[in-house]
Amino acid sequence: MACTKKKIKFLLLGDAGVGKSSLISTYFYKLSLVYHEHRYDKRRYQIEMIEILTFEDLKRFHMYENENDAVVNILCFNVTCRKSLYSIRHGWIPEILKLKKNPKMFLLGLQCDRREQFLTKLTHHCVSPGEGRQLTLYYENLYYVECSALKLASVKEAFDKIMQIYFYVDLEKQMEERILKLYARMQIQFKFYGPIRWRRERFKSVEDYTHPDEECFLYDD
């Protein structure tokens, strides 16, 4: 049976100059990741990346957003430029929250290879991975990843993680909720009743320990 075709639209949000264009070039032309085979529903998704530079662009895209497509909000910043992270927290995230209620968002640190360069360490106060993850604690559905457009493996790993979280976290939560509801419905109660006789082999004697009048049962209303 032919797979239903849908699109995964990665919205790359953030200020100009943080590295979004290089990331797009690496993703499509060096890695050639034009399609993604979803292992859960066996659907083949076409990948599309859209660079969003202004709040107005974000609002226009939201007006024409297609419900049949998976739209992934990726907030991009340069790890060597704290100003770009400040813009994400105080500009882009509030704008997204105005348009959508509790959306799933990804904070993507770019140019992370420069963090270890000697000259960068001397001239920049870089954002560490811990600081990026700390920001995610303030929002319910914000996740942190990072990569370098110069390191192909890191780009693929970052987007694999993004897609895994986007598609599977909700499924895991649904499964956990179903299990909890099942346990609540079964009303599992374990109780013991006695007397319970314990034999102390050393002294060849028997000691009785009588518990309250309780039963051990499992029932389902």
Side-chain angles (χ1 to χ4, degrees):
M1 185 175 65
C3 297
T4 304
K5 289 186 178 180
K6 294 176 67 177
K7 285 185 178 180
I8 297 177
K9 294 183 178 180
F10 292 120
L11 296 190
L12 302 184
L13 313 166
D15 297 346
V18 298
K20 297 190 297 297
S21 298
S22 297
L23 179 64
I24 293 173
S25 177
T26 297
Y27 192 91
F28 285 117
Y29 300 111
K30 295 182 180 179
L31 290 173
S32 301
L33 299 176
V34 182
Y35 292 95
H36 171 66
E37 190 76 27
H38 192 301
R39 59 183 177 180
Y40 174 73
D41 57 15
K42 304 303 181 184
R43 291 181 176 178
R44 195 184 189 199
Y45 289 86
Q46 182 180 353
I47 302 297
E48 183 176 347
M49 283 193 179
I50 303 170
E51 187 175 2
I52 304 292
L53 294 173
T54 66
F55 299 152
E56 292 302 321
D57 291 341
L58 178 62
K59 292 176 183 177
R60 280 194 294 269
F61 181 87
H62 178 71
M63 290 174 60
Y64 301 104
E65 187 176 324
N66 189 340
E67 293 183 356
N68 295 322
D69 298 333
V71 178
V72 185
N73 298 294
I74 303 179
L75 301 155
C76 302
F77 74 99
N78 185 338
V79 300
T80 67
C81 178
R82 289 182 171 272
K83 182 180 178 181
S84 63
L85 180 60
Y86 182 90
S87 177
I88 292 294
R89 180 172 185 179
H90 298 283
W92 288 99
I93 291 179
E95 287 296 323
I96 294 177
L97 295 179
K98 289 178 184 177
L99 298 174
K100 295 182 179 180
K101 183 179 180 181
N102 198 24
K104 194 174 293 183
M105 302 176 290
F106 297 88
L107 180 63
L108 178 59
L110 297 175
Q111 302 188 39
C112 61
D113 61 296
R114 295 183 58 196
R115 189 190 286 131
E116 300 305 319
Q117 295 177 1
F118 179 74
L119 185 60
T120 303
K121 289 182 178 180
L122 291 178
T123 58
H124 297 76
H125 181 35
C126 297
V127 179
S128 68
E131 290 177 288
R133 286 190 288 268
Q134 186 176 10
L135 179 57
T136 65
L137 301 177
Y138 294 95
Y139 303 93
E140 183 177 353
N141 285 325
L142 180 63
Y143 306 89
Y144 181 74
V145 290
E146 64 177 32
C147 67
S148 167
L150 298 179
K151 297 183 178 181
L152 304 187
S154 72
V155 173
K156 187 178 186 306
E157 182 180 350
F159 279 91
D160 284 345
K161 183 177 180 180
I162 287 172
M163 286 187 278
Q164 180 180 4
I165 293 174
Y166 185 86
F167 285 114
Y168 296 120
V169 165
D170 288 343
L171 294 174
E172 291 175 357
K173 289 181 179 178
Q174 291 173 11
M175 182 62 69
E176 290 176 358
E177 290 175 358
R178 289 175 60 186
I179 292 174
L180 291 175
K181 288 180 181 178
L182 176 63
Y183 280 135
R185 219 170 36 243
M186 292 174 67
Q187 298 183 25
I188 297 177
Q189 297 186 23
F190 294 97
K191 296 184 179 180
F192 298 93
Y193 65 100
I196 299 176
R197 301 173 65 86
W198 302 86
R199 180 175 295 277
R200 299 180 63 180
E201 296 295 338
R202 183 177 179 182
F203 300 103
K204 305 297 182 180
S205 62
V206 175
E207 297 181 1
D208 291 345
Y209 298 92
T210 304
H211 290 259
D213 185 15
E214 297 177 340
E215 295 181 328
C216 178
F217 57 90
L218 171 63
Y219 66 88
D220 187 357
D221 285 341

